[in-house]
Amino acid sequence: MRVKICGITKPIQGKTIASLGATALGFICVRASPRYVTPEQIRAVIDELPQQIDKIGVFANSSKEEIAQTVAESGLTGVQLHGDESIEFCQQLRESLPKVEIIKALRIKNTDDFTKAKTYTKYVDTLLLDAYHPQQLGGTGKTLNWDTLQKFDPDCPWFLAGGLTPQNVSEALEKVKPSGIDLSSGVETAPGDKDLDKVRDLFEKLKN
Ligand SMILES: O=C(O)c1ccccc1N[C@@H]1O[C@H](COP(=O)(O)O)[C@@H](O)[C@H]1O
């Protein structure tokens, strides 16, 4: 199973989290977020990482040009679209960045959003489901209702996100069978500052 730890800001934390077992690290490219990092800061983290780990930039309603420029400057291998990006936008971005993994994130408000999520599967590489919050785009610590996700089985790989912690991840994975999980605020001491003990605890829980 893929394990993505998101909201990395510090090279030493990125390197340690990769060595603990993360398969992907995420970098917030949304300026309004307290976890925002510039392309130069992302590059400084990526320079310390093993080649095989996925390096995902998180964007929300950015232009294709801005995304492409950030990818080129930083060395990202994937982009997570966490805003209101349309199917057409995802399709065009995939054409212009054919070697980059395109992940469409959907913030789930009600069960209609599962149907909406499935309409993207042909046009992206991966889906990500996060919890809806009226004021914040992500990194909210809010969980999805995992019971409603038991039958979610799209035609492409998908990440479960939203409020996952070392304490609740086992319960989530008993109920839901995603291709990967994504954690941010559940393994932090403060926004953008990862708690390495919590990350260790997470990987211990995932071994069982
Ligand atoms: O983390 C942020 O600040 C953020 C800002 C804008 C869009 C997405 C953001 N984070 C994403 O939120 C989810 C879940 O986070 P959490 O585990 O509930 O804290 C995760 O996919 C992050 O990539």
Side-chain angles (χ1 to χ4, degrees):
M1 190 179 60
R2 297 176 75 184
V3 182
K4 171 170 169 275
I5 305 294
C6 206
I8 303 295
T9 61
K10 300 174 200 290
I12 184 65
Q13 293 188 351
K15 193 176 171 183
T16 308
I17 292 169
S19 73
L20 290 171
T23 67
L25 296 186
F27 303 92
I28 304 298
C29 304
V30 178
R31 284 190 174 77
S33 167
R35 302 177 182 88
Y36 172 72
V37 273
T38 63
E40 294 73 27
Q41 286 173 292
I42 300 173
R43 169 62 73 188
V45 180
I46 288 181
D47 282 347
E48 299 290 323
L49 296 178
Q51 213 209 328
Q52 74 277 7
I53 194 161
D54 302 319
K55 297 117 185 160
I56 311 295
V58 179
F59 297 84
N61 304 322
S62 294
S63 67
K64 292 191 279 293
E65 293 71 23
E66 188 190 339
I67 295 173
Q69 192 178 343
T70 305
V71 167
E73 288 174 8
S74 63
L76 292 170
T77 61
V79 300
Q80 176 177 324
L81 305 173
H82 219 94
D84 306 310
E85 297 84 3
S86 65
I87 285 177
E88 292 70 29
F89 182 92
C90 296
Q91 215 172 356
Q92 288 166 10
L93 192 65
R94 205 183 201 187
E95 278 165 23
S96 59
L97 297 173
K99 293 187 179 150
V100 172
E101 179 181 12
I102 309 289
I103 303 173
K104 177 67 186 107
L106 290 110
R107 290 168 290 127
I108 304 296
K109 204 171 177 180
N110 55 48
T111 49
D112 287 349
D113 292 325
F114 297 137
T115 312
K116 183 178 173 193
K118 287 183 180 173
T119 63
Y120 281 85
T121 57
K122 267 195 247 160
Y123 309 100
V124 299
D125 298 296
T126 309
L127 289 175
L128 182 148
L129 301 192
D130 191 9
Y132 176 82
H133 186 288
Q135 277 92 38
Q136 282 168 261
L137 280 174
T140 66
K142 211 170 165 234
T143 52
L144 283 156
N145 179 346
W146 302 317
D147 292 322
T148 62
L149 268 170
Q150 284 180 337
K151 289 188 181 141
F152 186 69
D153 186 23
D155 293 330
C156 72
W158 68 283
F159 277 102
L160 175 67
L164 293 172
T165 67
Q167 284 70 43
N168 69 17
V169 72
S170 304
E171 184 192 345
L173 293 176
E174 271 164 29
K175 295 185 173 173
V176 189
K177 302 292 170 218
S179 331
I181 53 172
D182 181 15
L183 294 87
S184 183
S185 56
V187 288
E188 278 182 340
T189 49
D193 193 11
K194 296 299 161 197
D195 183 328
L196 299 177
D197 288 334
K198 287 184 185 168
V199 178
R200 272 187 206 97
D201 191 16
L202 170 75
F203 285 103
E204 280 303 314
K205 296 271 163 46
L206 291 175
K207 273 190 209 157
N208 302 326

